[in-house]
Amino acid sequence: MRLTADETVRFDEFARACDLVAAYFGETVDAVALEAPVSRPQLVAVLARVQLSARQSAIDGTLPDRDVCYRSNDETVLWLESGFWAEIRERHGLEVAERRAARDVHRRLLEAIVGEPSGSETEPFVLIERFERNR
């Protein structure tokens, strides 16, 4: 499966990423999908694509870890520089509504974990490290 012009991923890996984001973000995905002009399956697919790209950026060392505000075995929570989600939109060819909905899922979860951002020029992102429903 093609994530971007330069990124491909096996379908089973993409399917696992969809399952991971659906389980991790859970009711937040449902709530945002109800409020946005994006279906739940479409939002899950967008979130999965972004997770896979971010995972590769973390492996490559291009995801700025200086912006980490919380880290556990399950997730790394980051406030990134302004423009992150615009880059994601362009990189993945997302519609404006898809980008907004995906960003909103991340924002809601991040604010629940660490509170409001320290500056208005920051953008939310949660990199899922792993997630086990039976904890």
Side-chain angles (χ1 to χ4, degrees), residues 23-34:
Y24 181 84
F25 291 117
E27 292 176 3
T28 304
V29 170
D30 298 337
V32 171
L34 285 173

Side-chain angles (χ1 to χ4, degrees), residues 115-133:
E116 294 291 323
S118 57
S120 61
E121 297 300 313
T122 57
E123 297 196 2
F125 190 75
V126 179
L127 180 62
I128 305 167
E129 303 293 345
R130 67 181 179 143
F131 183 71
E132 299 171 15
R133 185 165 294 285

